[in-house]
Amino acid sequence: MTDTATTLSGDWDFDPQHTRIGFSARHAMITTVRGSFNEVEGHVHADLEDMANSHVEITLKAASVDTRTLQRDEHLRSADFFDVETYPDITFVSSRVEEVEDNAYLVTGDLTIRNVTQTLSIPIALTGVERDAFGVLRAGFEGTRKVNRRDYGLQWNMALDSGGVLVSERITLEFEISAIKREADGDA
C-alpha cells in the first residue's frame, strides 16, 4: 500500500468552513451566475486497499443557498425551485467509489433534490493531504459535473424574446472539499 493510500484510508468529515459545494448556471443566455450552499455536512470512508468499502455521504440544507443576491436566493428557496419548506435537504449517497488513476476518483451514487433521485457519477481529484498548523490532517478534493436541473423537478423558467430562456437547464455542480481525518488521540 502506498503512503497516500495509508494516509487516505480511514474516516473523514467535511470541514464546512473550508468546503464549498455550489453550482453555476447561465442567466439570460449571456452570463454565468454562481451559488453555493452555506450549510454542508459530509463524511467519507476511504479504504484504498478495497475501494468497494469506500463511501461518501453529503447533506446540503437547501435553505442555505447563497448566490449573493437576496431576491434570487428567496426565489431559489421557493416552490419554483428547491421548495425548501417541503424538501429541506439535498443529499448524495454513494454506491461506488473507484480510483480511476493516481489521485483521481469516480464517485457514483444517488443525488436527491426535491425528493427526486437520480444516479450520478462525479469525477473527483485529490488536491493534496496536509497536516495544518493545529496538527489536524486535512485532505482536499475538487470536481465538477454537469446535470440537467429539470431531471430533479426544477422546471421553472421564462422565455426570452430572442427565443432563449432566462435560466439554463444545464447546471454545473462544483465541489471544493476540505475534509478532516478522524484520528485517535495521539495519532497527530
Side-chain angles (χ1 to χ4, degrees):
M1 189 160 57
T2 67
D3 287 339
T4 301
T6 302
T7 303
L8 278 181
S9 289
D11 290 299
W12 298 79
D13 295 307
F14 288 17
D15 175 356
Q17 295 177 349
H18 296 97
T19 293
R20 179 182 175 276
I21 297 182
F23 56 90
S24 60
R26 300 296 287 170
H27 178 262
M29 311 278 293
I30 58 170
T31 60
T32 300
V33 170
R34 287 181 169 66
S36 60
F37 296 90
N38 293 329
E39 293 182 43
V40 176
E41 292 179 10
H43 169 78
V44 175
H45 176 76
D47 183 343
L48 273 71
E49 285 188 7
D50 185 356
M51 291 300 291
N53 294 326
S54 297
H55 64 270
V56 178
E57 293 183 19
I58 302 170
T59 300
L60 311 174
K61 294 297 181 188
S64 74
V65 66
D66 183 358
T67 63
R68 300 182 321 136
T69 303
L70 182 60
Q71 183 180 5
R72 180 172 43 233
D73 295 346
E74 288 173 354
H75 191 202
L76 288 171
R77 291 179 188 115
S78 77
D80 284 345
F81 287 96
F82 294 121
D83 193 3
V84 301
E85 294 295 321
T86 306
Y87 310 105
D89 295 335
I90 297 170
T91 62
F92 177 82
V93 177
S94 71
S95 56
R96 183 175 66 235
V97 180
E98 302 169 84
E99 185 174 21
V100 292
E101 59 184 64
D102 287 347
N103 300 326
Y105 304 89
L106 188 63
V107 181
T108 301
D110 292 333
L111 175 63
T112 302
I113 303 173
R114 290 181 56 120
N115 211 32
V116 175
T117 301
Q118 300 283 330
T119 300
L120 182 69
S121 292
I122 305 166
I124 296 289
L126 173 67
T127 58
V129 179
E130 290 289 336
R131 197 163 294 280
D132 70 16
F134 303 100
V136 175
L137 189 61
R138 294 178 174 273
F141 301 92
E142 292 183 352
T144 61
R145 177 62 158 70
K146 289 190 183 286
V147 297
N148 186 326
R149 66 184 176 87
R150 296 175 68 86
D151 291 345
Y152 295 92
L154 303 171
Q155 305 289 332
W156 184 90
N157 223 334
M158 288 181 63
L160 300 175
D161 290 343
S162 66
V165 292
L166 187 62
V167 182
S168 62
E169 291 182 8
R170 300 280 292 166
I171 305 295
T172 301
L173 303 179
E174 303 163 341
F175 303 89
E176 299 163 11
I177 298 166
S178 177
I180 297 172
K181 189 169 189 180
R182 293 183 199 165
E183 296 182 287
D185 289 339
D187 287 355

